[in-house]
Amino acid sequence: MKVISSLKEMTLFSKKASAKGSIIGFVPTMGYLHEGHLSLVRRAKKECNVVVVSIFVNPSQFGPKEDLAKYPRDLKRDLALLRPLGVDVVFYPQAKVMYPFGCAAYVDIGGNLTKKLCGAFRPVLFKGVTTIVAKLFNIVLPSKAYFGQKDAQQCVVLEKMVKDLNFPLQVVTLPTVREKDGLAMSSRNSYLAPDERKDAAVIYKSLMLARQMIKKGVRSSIKIKSAMIKELNTVKHIELQYISIVKAETLEDLKTLSGEIIIALALKIGKTRLIDNIRLKL
Ligand code: PAF
């Protein structure tokens, strides 16, 4: 497994691999890897000849009061997790190499897609994500890129970017990997104190409650959201940011549920912001 920090070297590697007919699978990450990331790597390994994983905590997707400085980082641990999976390259650029002149050119998906749900609470998030992912695609030149459904809005936004800007690659979205009690795996779970970690299980419980109601035939968005809020309120110190029930492909709000839907929520437990969602076909 090679660790490459130079942009030129990364692109040269990819060009050589492509020239040999290799399909390059790419897993962009911010490191501090967990089983969710590893499931993407395993899938990439199955579907591609060459697998590149990037580790880059992207400053442009963090707001000024967000957790950029304290975002967990542990390269040694990440490399030890990736090595046994047969990863070919870990792309590990420095911020000053990725953004040598700051960033004057951005990729920004207009309209409502990036302004709602998480975008309403993290206004720079998606502009930062689309910009860095576009840069990474241009450097790594993958045929397939893998993302986790836990970041449901990110997946929809990136699909839109790839389509609208004609990136010659396929976006693959894979299911959320969960802890035993249902908590979605996230690098940010490491911020949770033990009592907060216990409380965090209520997120998945509320999503399962929604799923149960839908199974029983409930189709009213308001009814489902109210029941979820009641469930979430069984735990103290939760600050709900949003619960949204939306069309899976467009993230349009739904009053009455039908078709493919996503039920997504974001909340804070103490100082830690967590997100989760489920996707259902009605
Ligand atoms: O999902 C993430 O970890 C990040 O948003 C991504 C896609 C690696 C871009 O920095």
Side-chain angles (χ1 to χ4, degrees), residues 17 23 65 73 90 98 109 148 164-165 176-177 180 189 196 248 265 274:
I23 294 183
K65 288 186 186 151
R73 293 159 168 91
V90 174
M98 280 309 274
I109 308 286
D164 285 2
L165 297 182
T176 304
V177 178
K180 272 203 184 108
N189 291 349
E196 294 175 335
L265 74 161
L274 299 173

Side-chain angles (χ1 to χ4, degrees), residues 30-32 34 37 57-58 61-63 66-68 70-72 122 125 150-151 183-193 196-197 269 271-275:
M30 298 208 299
Y32 213 71
H34 51 66
H37 298 115
V57 182
N58 172 37
Q61 72 191 71
F62 288 79
E66 293 180 355
D67 56 341
L68 173 63
K70 76 164 190 181
Y71 196 85
R122 302 188 63 195
L125 171 66
K150 198 208 101 190
D151 300 303
L183 179 66
M185 290 206 182
S186 162
S187 309
R188 289 189 169 97
N189 291 349
S190 64
Y191 297 153
L192 297 167
E196 294 175 335
R197 170 62 192 82
I269 298 192
K271 285 187 176 150
T272 305
R273 183 176 185 278
L274 299 173
I275 60 171

Side-chain angles (χ1 to χ4, degrees), residues 28-30 37 56 58 61 129 132-133 147 151 154 158:
T29 83
M30 298 208 299
H37 298 115
F56 180 65
N58 172 37
Q61 72 191 71
V129 167
I132 194 65
V133 172
F147 298 90
D151 300 303
Q154 173 170 280
L158 289 174

Side-chain angles (χ1 to χ4, degrees), residues 147-216:
F147 298 90
Q149 176 64 25
K150 198 208 101 190
D151 300 303
Q153 188 175 10
Q154 173 170 280
C155 293
V156 174
V157 166
L158 289 174
E159 288 267 13
K160 181 91 181 122
M161 178 187 84
V162 163
K163 202 169 161 218
D164 285 2
L165 297 182
N166 307 92
F167 278 98
L169 58 89
Q170 185 195 345
V171 171
V172 183
T173 301
L174 295 182
T176 304
V177 178
R178 299 180 179 282
E179 303 282 358
K180 272 203 184 108
D181 64 357
L183 179 66
M185 290 206 182
S186 162
S187 309
R188 289 189 169 97
N189 291 349
S190 64
Y191 297 153
L192 297 167
D195 55 328
E196 294 175 335
R197 170 62 192 82
K198 248 192 210 164
D199 287 348
V202 79
I203 301 170
Y204 189 59
K205 256 172 119 180
S206 74
L207 287 168
M208 288 302 94
L209 175 64
R211 194 170 76 172
Q212 235 179 355
M213 290 176 76
I214 292 166
K215 255 191 183 167
K216 283 187 184 153

